[in-house]
């Protein structure tokens, strides 16, 4: 299973790079209806690509959830940052706030003069409120899943019991991993829904650059002489 998903992930990651290039090349800010439609199409295509990853990963988890958690297709650095088989959903909000602050500071003169930049540095009060409320909801859901994982780990002593349903135990782990992945995808989708197409493009590019950056650092570390 791991080798099959390894191949899938390699192709998926390369396609992700291509889609990021398309996002970066799109007209920003959009000045025509066609530009707005183009950005909307690219964002939809990008999100479908993410959904395909989690769909395929769920099938892989059904076959061998332990291999999915071990994730040999990524670097040790990436695995060290994982929360139940992937990135922590609340990371999304730190990224939004960071990018918003950086762009706001860079455009502060224009914003104070009343010019709308339309980028992530120009989030409206209602958008900030929506992001904040979503963050609270996501934290609650994260905590529930973390508690489920803790309970699963606390039952490790049951592995010594002769009557243990090992298949059921592993099946429960698979359910927890899939819940975590569903929360990851749902969180990104809901953040994108709160943003304009231009802001969504900027957010998705930043999230991908973070992913590529961490992977690059991980590959560099793995090649360092010990």
């Amino acid at each position: 299973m791991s080798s099959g998903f390894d191949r899938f992930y390699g192709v998926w990651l390369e396609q992700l790079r291509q889609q990021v290039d398309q996002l970066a090349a799109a007209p920003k800010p959009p000045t025509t209806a066609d530009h707005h439609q183009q950005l909307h199409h690219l964002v939809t295509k990008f999100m479908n690509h993410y959904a395909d990853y989690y769909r395929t990963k769920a099938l892989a988890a059904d076959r061998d959830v332990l291999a999915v958690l071990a994730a040999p297709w990524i670097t040790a650095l990436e695995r060290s940052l994982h929360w139940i088989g992937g990135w922590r959903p609340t990371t999304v909000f730190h990224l939004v706030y960071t990018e918003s602050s950086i762009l706001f500071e860079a455009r502060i003169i224009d914003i104070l003069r009343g010019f709308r930049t339309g980028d992530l540095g120009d989030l409206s009060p209602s958008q900030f409120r929506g992001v904040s409320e979503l963050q609270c909801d996501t934290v609650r859901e994260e905590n529930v899943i973390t508690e489920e994982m803790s309970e699963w780990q606390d039952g490790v002593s049951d592995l010594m019991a002769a009557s243990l349903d090992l298949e059921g135990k592993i099946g429960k782990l698979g359910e927890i991993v899939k819940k975590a992945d569903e929360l990851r995808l749902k969180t990104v989708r809901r953040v994108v829904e709160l943003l304009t197409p231009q802001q969504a493009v900027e957010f998705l590019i930043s999230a991908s650059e973070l992913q590529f950056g961490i992977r690059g650092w991980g590959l560099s570390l793995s090649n360092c002489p010990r």
Side-chain angles (χ1 to χ4, degrees), residues 48-158:
N48 287 340
H49 190 58
Y50 254 89
D52 185 48
Y53 168 77
Y54 286 114
R55 235 183 345 260
T56 305
K57 186 181 175 186
L59 294 174
D62 286 337
R63 292 192 294 271
D64 190 345
V65 67
L66 297 179
V68 167
L69 283 173
W73 45 84
I74 61 175
T75 66
L77 176 61
E78 290 171 281
R79 284 193 294 274
S80 74
L81 299 172
H82 271 188
W83 169 83
I84 314 183
W87 48 271
R88 185 177 287 272
T90 44
T91 303
V92 166
F93 304 102
H94 298 298
L95 182 62
V96 170
Y97 293 137
T98 298
E99 290 297 311
S100 179
S101 296
I102 291 172
L103 290 172
F104 178 81
E105 291 176 5
R107 313 276 200 279
I108 189 169
I109 300 301
D110 288 337
I111 292 173
L112 291 176
R113 288 175 175 172
F115 297 123
R116 301 302 302 272
T117 59
D119 57 23
L120 280 174
D122 194 19
L123 294 176
S124 69
S126 63
Q127 284 179 312
F128 270 117
R129 184 167 56 252
V131 170
S132 179
E133 291 172 353
L134 177 57
Q135 182 178 14
C136 292
D137 292 342
T138 304
V139 168
R140 283 193 291 269
E141 292 187 64
E142 255 191 23
N143 289 340
V144 169
I145 297 172
T146 298
E147 182 61 28
E148 286 187 43
M149 189 64 175
S150 296
E151 291 176 0
W152 189 91
Q153 292 170 330
D154 286 343
V156 69
S157 59
D158 295 338

Side-chain angles (χ1 to χ4, degrees), residues 148-191:
E148 286 187 43
M149 189 64 175
S150 296
E151 291 176 0
W152 189 91
Q153 292 170 330
D154 286 343
V156 69
S157 59
D158 295 338
L159 293 173
M160 303 303 294
S163 60
L164 175 68
D165 177 11
L166 183 58
E167 185 175 338
K169 182 78 170 175
I170 297 301
K172 176 61 176 177
L173 178 61
E175 292 174 8
I176 295 171
V177 171
K178 284 189 278 189
K179 281 184 182 179
D181 281 343
E182 288 167 3
L183 181 57
R184 281 183 264 270
L185 181 59
K186 182 175 72 172
T187 301
V188 174
R189 277 178 168 161
R190 292 184 64 185
V191 166

Side-chain angles (χ1 to χ4, degrees), residues 8-21:
F8 164 80
Y9 184 73
V11 173
W12 181 87
L13 194 63
E14 183 56 37
Q15 292 174 341
L16 182 69
R17 293 181 187 276
Q18 294 171 6
Q19 293 203 20
V20 169
D21 289 342

